[in-house]
Amino acid sequence: MPLGVSDSSLSDGVNNIIHILTLIFIFIIVIVIAMVATRIIAGYQKGASNAANIEVIETCRLTVNKYIQIVRVGEKYLAIAIGKDEVSFLTEISPDEIQLAPSKAEAMPDFASLLAKFTKRNKDTD
């Protein structure tokens, strides 16, 4: 045993390491439970809002509580005004007048490709 190190200080150090590892293990379990719960809730919400005939095309905010939306209902496009307590029909829009923006899902990069780029860049710098 090294000079100046007693059995009690050595066991205290081991106890501290065991406590830290236990906390890390509990933290990992909590993160895994949160991920599983998020996936379950997302799957439930995705199934609950599976409306193929109604789609919000575009939203423009006018004031804090007032919006104008272009909504596709079946094959028709409608402009509606949405307030705090009311929804008002404004007009029907012909499909030729609609300029569809690229969907956000197409514009968003794939997380796996971003992660691969990031890890490759970090390997190159090491």
Side-chain angles (χ1 to χ4, degrees):
M1 183 173 296
L3 293 175
V5 177
S6 66
D7 286 337
S8 66
S9 66
L10 188 60
S11 66
D12 287 343
V14 171
N15 284 338
N16 288 339
I17 291 174
I18 290 172
H19 287 308
I20 290 173
L21 292 177
T22 304
L23 288 174
I24 291 172
F25 181 72
I26 292 171
F27 177 72
I28 290 172
I29 289 174
V30 168
I31 294 296
V32 168
I33 290 171
M35 287 175 53
V36 169
T38 302
R39 287 184 185 231
I40 291 171
I41 292 171
Y44 174 74
Q45 287 181 343
K46 184 178 180 183
S49 65
N50 195 8
N53 292 312
I54 300 173
E55 179 183 9
V56 176
I57 303 298
E58 189 172 344
T59 302
C60 178
R61 183 177 184 173
L62 299 176
T63 64
V64 176
N65 293 334
K66 297 186 190 228
Y67 300 89
I68 293 179
Q69 287 187 339
I70 298 174
V71 180
R72 181 184 60 81
V73 179
E75 295 296 320
K76 295 181 179 183
Y77 291 93
L78 308 173
I80 58 174
I82 300 174
K84 182 178 178 185
D85 294 327
E86 75 278 349
V87 176
S88 303
F89 173 77
L90 296 177
T91 187
E92 184 174 339
I93 303 170
S94 71
D96 299 334
E97 296 176 5
I98 301 291
Q99 297 176 2
L100 297 175
S103 81
K104 292 181 181 180
E106 294 172 3
M108 291 290 289
D110 182 29
F111 179 74
S113 64
L114 288 176
L115 184 62
K117 279 185 192 177
F118 180 74
T119 55
K120 181 182 176 190
R121 188 175 348 145
N122 283 345
K123 287 180 183 177
D124 292 342
T125 58
D126 290 342

